[in-house]
Amino acid sequence: MKKIFALILAVLMAFTACAALAEEEGKLAPMFATVGEALDASGDPPVTGNNEDYCSVITMQDGIWYRHIAYTDEKAKELQNAIYSAEIEELEAAFAASEEYNKTLPIAYSEAFTVQPMPQEELDALVGKTIGELRAAGYTDAQSGSDGDDVVFVMRSGLFEYAMVVDADVDAYIKATEEDETGNPGGDFVIKSAAFDGISSDACMLEYHTDGTMEEQPDPFADLTAVTAAVLEKIQAIANGEEVDMEAFAAELKEQYPDMAEMIDSYLELYKTLGAEVFISMMNSAAEDSAAPQE
């Protein structure tokens, strides 16, 4: 019996070790001591990013892109917050103080990107397409403007950016920009050539994985949507002649969604004040308005 228990324990420990290994998979020992050292090895301009919790620097070595992560400490967060509260004349100094301190933060780990940019053959296949067609295919605008006599649209796809030289001159580009009302001028410009232009700043953010996939972001309105649907279902039942204890239902719903308790109470009060039919009509009208395209 002891041998059986020992075997079970050994198997559980093996699974635990494998899980821990999988969790750390892809993380490498720090390739640089500090953010400053990583910046020195980065391109010009460097590809960097940060939020409240970490700083990130992208470098390339032997044809492989690497991301280097440093976690922010309390002083780094204080300096970041000082930027938001600084007066206009103090902004430059506040930014400089934050950037200089961030350079001293130790790199916690490095990781290699496995995703690669499109090969030139695929980029050549874009010649003849319009900028509008690329946007419809999922490309996003990073920047656009003139480069000598050429007009160039830098388009982002995944974690990389690509420079698209179009068949318009500078005057046509300026006119298209002045006449555009969509925020995306030049949709009918035809691509003459396409080339890789570098890794994008999105690569600095941890929600973008090194294989090019993006971490699914939680829907901030998921609970509101669920609560609204549940309340409407019950009030529709009342309108259909069913008997429903709304007080008991509201109490159960608040246990399930404690952060939505105030909204649930508001719905209950509206129902009591307006009645089932008017409440349902009002909520359906609000849903139709929110779904209508905004001009």
Side-chain angles (χ1 to χ4, degrees):
M1 184 66 71
K2 288 182 179 180
K3 288 183 179 180
I4 293 175
F5 282 128
L7 179 59
I8 293 172
L9 181 60
V11 170
L12 290 174
M13 290 177 66
F15 274 113
T16 302
C18 288
L21 182 61
E23 186 177 348
E24 293 299 319
E25 188 176 357
K27 291 186 178 181
L28 308 173
M31 297 171 63
F32 301 97
T34 64
V35 169
E37 287 188 14
L39 285 171
D40 290 341
S42 186
D44 185 23
V47 181
T48 65
N50 67 280
N51 64 14
E52 183 180 278
D53 299 316
Y54 62 86
C55 298
S56 179
V57 182
I58 305 296
T59 66
M60 176 183 270
Q61 184 174 323
D62 298 327
I64 300 174
W65 278 278
Y66 293 90
R67 179 165 61 193
H68 314 282
I69 303 298
Y71 295 115
T72 53
D73 56 21
E74 288 305 314
K75 183 173 180 180
K77 292 176 182 178
E78 288 174 8
L79 290 170
Q80 286 179 15
N81 291 332
I83 294 173
Y84 306 134
S85 59
E87 301 293 337
I88 294 179
E89 61 274 13
E90 300 171 338
L91 268 178
E92 185 176 348
F95 272 110
S98 178
E99 289 174 1
E100 286 303 311
Y101 183 77
N102 285 347
K103 290 179 182 179
T104 69
L105 294 172
I107 299 296
Y109 65 91
S110 302
E111 52 188 350
F113 285 94
T114 57
V115 64
Q116 294 294 319
M118 282 189 291
Q120 188 60 46
E121 293 79 9
E122 290 185 27
L123 290 172
D124 291 340
L126 300 178
V127 173
K129 295 183 180 294
T130 65
I131 293 297
E133 287 176 323
L134 260 62
R135 289 170 180 154
Y139 289 74
T140 57
D141 292 68
Q143 58 180 314
S144 62
S146 61
D147 182 11
D149 294 331
D150 292 327
V151 172
V152 181
F153 282 71
V154 178
M155 308 291 287
R156 183 173 297 172
S157 179
L159 294 181
F160 301 103
E161 295 178 350
Y162 306 91
M164 313 291 175
V165 178
V166 297
D167 67 342
D169 59 23
V170 175
D171 290 337
Y173 172 73
I174 293 173
K175 181 180 179 182
T177 302
E178 290 174 344
E179 295 178 351
D180 175 69
E181 296 180 353
T182 67
N184 292 307
D188 58 347
F189 292 164
V190 177
I191 296 166
K192 297 196 301 181
S193 66
F196 174 66
D197 197 55
I199 194 165
S200 86
S201 57
D202 284 345
C204 294
M205 311 314 292
L206 294 182
E207 57 263 34
Y208 290 90
H209 300 168
T210 54
D211 64 358
T213 59
M214 184 180 179
E215 188 173 308
E216 186 174 350
Q217 299 299 302
D219 180 0
F221 302 107
D223 285 356
L224 175 60
T225 301
V227 164
T228 302
V231 171
L232 270 173
E233 182 181 0
K234 290 297 182 183
I235 293 180
Q236 184 64 62
I238 293 173
N240 293 339
E242 299 180 27
E243 291 188 8
V244 177
D245 186 340
M246 286 300 293
E247 295 288 350
F249 166 72
E252 291 175 4
L253 202 58
K254 283 189 282 189
E255 286 185 8
Q256 187 177 356
Y257 299 98
D259 293 340
M260 299 296 297
E262 188 173 341
M263 179 60 70
I264 294 167
D265 287 337
S266 297
Y267 280 160
L268 190 59
E269 288 302 315
L270 274 175
Y271 156 68
K272 290 178 179 177
T273 303
L274 302 176
E277 296 290 350
V278 176
F279 180 90
I280 292 168
S281 176
M282 182 190 71
M283 296 300 291
N284 288 337
S285 177
E288 290 172 3
D289 289 344
S290 65
Q294 302 297 311
E295 296 184 359

